[in-house]
Amino acid sequence: MKRAIKAGLHKVGLLNFGERVYFNLKSASPSVLWRQLQVKDNRGADGYPLPPPNLMYDVIASRWQAVFLDSGQKVVDDMAAQLAQFGHPLQDFSSILDFGCGCGRLIRHVQKHTDAILTGSDYNASLIAWCQTHLSFASFSVNQLLPPFTFAPASFDFVYARSVFTHLPAETQEAWIAELRRVMRPGGVLYLTMHGDRVAGGLTENQRTAMQRGELVVLYSSRAGENLCTTYAGKAYVEEKLCTGFDLLGFIPGRDEDHLRQDIYLLKKQ
């Protein structure tokens, strides 16, 4: 039923509006509303400004500042814990790239964990312009939907791509994994996430079977790079298509917890 409703809204050009209404209502829990009251002067506890509602929605499908702040903190704390568990604490890196940084939801929390040089990149120029104006602790640049970056080879020893490959079709994923490998130092670590079994409940039986065969399932491929384009993959696909030149350090299946439902892959450049 949910897929039929989305298809119908997409057909008449109302899908984006419908999703805005749905996600804002869904996230308006009493705890979120209470936390929202604690946000003062449109700033986070770190003192940096918060993006306007339309930019936050582009990143996390919610206009609530509390959701933007708390989800970013939760994801970064979890990422730091996973890196430490596999022997690569976040504070050990010296140069970090946030690929698909949006309007700084994660990088503003990463800077609390490390003294590394921080860089953010995104293909949405409006999000990057906001970061360049308001987040002085890092440098930011615009990338295109397809590679290359403007960065020199071996520029970073840690790259994270949270909710990026989840919105790219196969050929674009493979192009970007090669480009990430180019800008990473030997021995560098890549953290990326994919939509796996935990969030595949809305797929058809044929689509879930394709995932089990090691195929990438892509919805709305014509909108690559946007949230509407959604991809699903199992571990077999990632190992076959995205691990060339990398060793798989760790695989953390998606958990039944808000903002942690995507599968996590930790890869180490050979």
Side-chain angles (χ1 to χ4, degrees), residues 35-61:
R35 276 285 294 120
Q36 185 65 33
L37 292 174
Q38 298 173 324
V39 178
K40 303 295 185 183
D41 302 321
N42 291 318
R43 291 180 178 272
D46 53 15
Y48 289 100
L50 292 168
N54 63 307
L55 296 190
M56 290 192 296
Y57 183 84
D58 286 345
V59 169
I60 196 174

Side-chain angles (χ1 to χ4, degrees), residues 95-97 119 121 139 141 148-159 176 178-186 269:
S95 184
I96 297 174
L97 172 64
T119 303
S121 183
S139 60
S141 62
F149 286 127
T150 58
F151 309 127
S155 293
F156 307 100
D157 54 5
F158 178 52
V159 177
W176 274 115
E179 179 66 358
L180 292 175
R181 191 166 59 246
R182 182 187 71 84
V183 301
M184 290 176 62
R185 297 168 187 163
K269 181 177 175 179

Side-chain angles (χ1 to χ4, degrees), residues 211-215 233-243 251 265:
M211 278 184 62
Q212 292 168 1
R213 289 198 303 262
E215 299 177 18
K235 186 167 178 275
Y237 171 84
V238 174
E239 289 183 313
E240 179 182 354
K241 298 295 186 180
L242 302 182
C243 283
F251 167 66
Y265 296 86

Side-chain angles (χ1 to χ4, degrees), residues 30 41 44 79 85 98 124-125 142-143 191 212 225 230 241 266:
D41 302 321
M79 180 171 70
Q85 179 182 345
D98 181 339
N124 186 319
V142 178
N143 59 260
Y191 166 108
Q212 292 168 1
T230 311
K241 298 295 186 180
L266 296 176

